[in-house]
């Protein structure tokens, strides 16, 4: 009888020398001709790694023992770090995080886009801890927390050192409130926001419930916290706000005398302090003079549009979400900027050259796209009638590099670029580039 071929067994652990670093904050090693991406490892380290998944050309793994640590390695500050998927770089010191992210950013620009900034400006840094003003948590019927680093389970957390202190301090109380509400209906999700004047807890429910547990929680919290809280119980039939007369959720741009209201569903930067600096640096980078016409693409609530208008530019903001366009328009009117700043809705992922011509020419563009980037917009740009200067705010170096290659092919160069350390302890890379024609 013919014997079957033996089935090779993939080794569960390997000893790897880490020689690189990737955009997901993983160490990179080569073993048996295959690239291994190792979470929890830093360049220069030798580690024992558990293989999680093996493909033909690459494998993913996690470091389970650091045999030779890098000098930059530090003990993680959060006891949940080993399991929680919220952070990826707590094992690296602050200076190392900055250096590694800048290396990844420049490598992506060169490898994918074939470009490099003519000048790499000093990075903009902010707080490394307690900077997050909003977050989304998961609930599994018993635990409140973030999704696990590997898998979809919920890692229960009692505090989070990247969250604003007022939000982190309430996590045990929020868990208790969720447990009380879950006796009546399913909890679909939990959102936290720290505005400039109110903290908002939104609990998304399958059905309406008795609001008394939330009312009791608010009464207790207001006896202890300096900034008021509001709890929003949201379900298909609507939202119950407790108390209903709490201050609106909003953030301020004090350098421009602006206050921008928003809702938990609106996109706003999680790092409010660094966002204020980003706005000022972006406007200075763009360099639009008084009276210049500026187009602000992916404008959201007017985070850049309204400061530009306050600086005497003539601004057209383009956004793809109707509700955001309505709120941005209301923000302009509330600040007396409606004559200098108007907004329009358009799907910028399907925009055409004809639409661009219909909006008219502007010598200055500002782009702040989501992680998917602005490929279509860059593709349909007519360089003969395009802007002289483009300030591009990016949260994804891969799509930024792709778009930079498109712009480079149309005669634009990256005059300058700089990182913004907006999301310390995570793999996210935020940057600001200036393209000139």
């Amino acid at each position: 009888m013919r014997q079957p071929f033996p089935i090779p067994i993939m080794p569960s652990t390997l000893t790897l020398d880490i020689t690189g670093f990737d955009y997901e904050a993983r160490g990179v090693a080569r073993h048996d001709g295959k690239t291994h991406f190792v979470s929890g490892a830093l360049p220069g380290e030798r580690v024992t790694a558990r293989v999680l998944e093996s493909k033909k050309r690459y494998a993913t793994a996690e470091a389970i023992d650091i045999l030779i640590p890098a000098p930059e390695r530090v003990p993680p500050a959060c006891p949940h770090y080993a399991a929680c998927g919220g952070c990826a770089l707590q094992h690296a010191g602050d200076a190392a995080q900055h250096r590694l992210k800048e290396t990844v950013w420049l490598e992506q620009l060169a490898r994918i886009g074939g470009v490099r900034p003519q000048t790499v400006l000093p990075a903009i840094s902010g707080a490394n801890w307690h900077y997050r003003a909003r977050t989304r948590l998961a609930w599994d019927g018993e635990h409140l927390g973030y999704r696990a680093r590997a898998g979809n389970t919920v890692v229960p957390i009692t505090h989070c050192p990247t969250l604003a202190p007022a939000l982190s301090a309430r996590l045990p109380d929020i868990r208790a409130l969720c447990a009380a509400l879950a006796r009546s209906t399913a909890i679909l999700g939990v959102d936290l926001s720290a505005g400039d004047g109110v903290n908002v807890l939104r609990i998304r429910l399958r059905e309406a419930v008795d609001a008394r547990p939330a009312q009791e929680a608010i009464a207790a919290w207001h006896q202890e916290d300096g900034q008021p809280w509001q709890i929003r119980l949201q379900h298909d039939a609507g939202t119950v706000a407790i108390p209903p007369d709490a201050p609106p959720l909003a953030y301020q741009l004090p350098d421009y005398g602006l206050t921008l209201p928003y809702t938990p569903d609106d996109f706003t930067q999680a790092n409010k302090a660094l966002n204020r600096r980003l706005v000022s640096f972006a406007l200075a980078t763009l360099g639009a003079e008084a009276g210049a016409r500026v187009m602000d693409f992916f404008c959201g609530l007017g985070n850049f549009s309204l400061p530009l208008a306050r600086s005497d530019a003539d601004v057209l903001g383009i956004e793809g979400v109707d509700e955001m366009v309505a709120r941005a328009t209301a923000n302009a009117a509330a600040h007396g900027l409606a004559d200098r700043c108007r907004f329009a809705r358009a799907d910028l992922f399907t925009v055409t050259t004809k639409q661009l011509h219909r909006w008219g020419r502007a010598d200055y563009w500002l782009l702040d796209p989501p992680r998917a980037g602005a490929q279509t917009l860059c593709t349909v740009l007519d360089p003969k009638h395009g802007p002289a200067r483009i300030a591009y705010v990016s949260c994804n170096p891969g799509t930024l590099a792709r778009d930079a290659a498109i712009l480079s092919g149309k005669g634009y160069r990256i005059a300058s670029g700089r990182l913004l350390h907006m999301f310390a302890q995570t793999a996210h890379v935020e940057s600001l580039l200036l393209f000139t024609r």
Side-chain angles (χ1 to χ4, degrees):
M1 181 176 177
R2 186 174 182 179
Q3 295 295 321
F5 289 107
I7 300 174
I9 300 175
M10 183 179 66
S12 58
T13 62
L14 295 170
T15 299
L16 298 172
D17 290 315
I18 309 300
T19 58
F21 193 75
D22 82 338
Y23 66 94
E24 293 187 22
R26 300 175 297 187
V28 180
R30 295 284 295 177
H31 181 80
D32 284 345
K34 183 184 294 187
T35 301
H36 287 67
F37 300 100
V38 187
S39 62
L42 297 173
E45 294 187 327
R46 175 171 290 177
V47 305
T48 301
R50 178 186 295 114
V51 177
L52 302 176
E53 183 180 30
S54 184
K55 300 289 187 180
K56 184 177 181 180
R57 296 185 178 180
Y58 73 92
T60 59
E62 61 179 355
I64 57 175
D65 191 15
I66 310 301
L67 305 177
I68 301 178
E72 301 89 353
R73 178 169 286 275
V74 298
C78 178
H80 309 297
Y81 178 63
C84 179
C87 292
L89 268 178
Q90 286 192 25
H91 58 284
D94 298 337
Q97 291 188 34
H98 297 176
R99 177 177 53 79
L100 291 169
K101 289 186 178 184
E102 184 170 284
T103 300
V104 166
W105 173 62
L106 292 173
E107 284 179 349
Q108 294 277 83
L109 286 172
R111 183 175 61 83
I112 298 173
V115 296
R116 180 183 172 89
Q118 290 188 312
T119 302
V120 177
L121 298 170
I124 305 170
S125 297
N128 295 310
W129 302 101
H130 301 301
Y131 62 83
R132 290 192 66 93
R134 62 182 179 86
T135 195
R136 173 161 288 186
L137 301 169
W139 170 262
D140 65 1
E142 181 181 1
H143 303 117
L144 178 74
Y146 294 110
R147 296 293 177 184
R149 189 186 306 277
N152 200 40
T153 59
V154 175
V155 177
I157 60 171
T158 55
H159 72 282
C160 175
T162 65
L163 270 182
L167 302 184
S168 179
R170 284 292 166 216
L171 290 174
D173 299 327
I174 294 170
R175 189 264 164 203
L177 175 58
C178 288
L181 297 175
R183 298 189 188 105
S184 302
T185 188
I187 293 175
L188 307 179
V190 177
D191 305 307
L192 283 169
S193 300
D196 292 345
V198 67
N199 302 316
V200 173
L201 163 64
R202 181 178 67 170
I203 304 177
R204 290 173 280 119
L205 307 167
R206 181 167 295 164
E207 301 165 327
V209 296
D210 186 344
R212 279 178 293 181
Q215 293 166 345
E216 292 169 358
I218 283 290
W221 298 358
H222 283 179
Q223 291 177 3
E224 304 171 14
D225 288 350
Q227 180 161 289
W229 278 81
Q230 183 184 62
I231 295 178
R232 302 182 185 183
L233 304 179
Q234 179 178 306
H235 46 84
D236 287 343
T239 299
V240 176
I242 306 164
D245 58 349
L249 195 58
Y251 71 93
Q252 297 177 348
L253 296 174
D255 288 349
Y256 303 94
L258 297 169
T259 298
L260 280 65
Y262 63 98
T263 74
D265 287 323
D266 293 336
F267 172 78
T268 58
Q269 288 287 6
N271 190 329
K272 294 188 297 181
L274 209 52
N275 178 64
R276 290 193 285 268
R277 299 183 65 194
L278 167 60
V279 170
S280 295
F281 274 101
L283 267 61
T285 297
L286 192 61
E289 67 274 10
R293 188 162 193 266
V294 182
M295 296 186 70
D296 179 12
F297 294 98
F298 307 95
C299 67
L301 297 168
N303 189 55
F304 297 105
S305 302
L306 297 174
L308 281 163
R310 184 71 90 196
S311 303
D312 295 329
D314 179 18
V315 186
L316 173 62
I318 308 295
E319 168 59 43
V321 180
D322 287 325
E323 293 83 357
M324 299 280 272
V325 172
R327 274 192 281 282
T329 301
N331 286 338
H335 291 92
L337 297 172
D339 59 334
R340 285 196 171 275
C341 192
R342 60 190 181 89
F343 297 90
R345 187 229 170 250
D347 182 353
L348 292 171
F349 297 105
T350 61
V351 66
T352 64
T353 302
K354 185 177 180 180
Q355 281 179 292
L356 285 181
H357 288 166
R358 191 162 60 241
W359 290 326
R361 183 173 179 176
D363 285 330
Y364 301 91
W365 280 15
L366 194 149
L367 311 182
D368 184 16
R371 292 187 60 79
Q375 182 176 19
T376 304
L377 185 61
C378 294
T379 300
V380 301
L381 168 62
D382 179 359
K384 293 182 180 179
H385 304 286
R389 296 164 70 91
I390 301 172
Y392 192 132
V393 179
S394 168
C395 60
N396 184 338
T399 55
L400 170 65
R402 177 203 64 202
D403 296 346
I406 297 171
L407 292 173
S408 177
K410 297 192 173 191
Y412 288 88
R413 63 186 176 92
I414 306 177
S416 66
R418 71 195 323 156
L419 283 192
L420 300 103
H421 296 302
M422 190 167 284
F423 304 106
Q425 321 310 328
T426 78
H428 294 292
V429 177
E430 192 94 2
S431 61
L432 169 63
L433 271 68
L434 173 66
F435 292 86
T436 59
R437 192 173 54 196

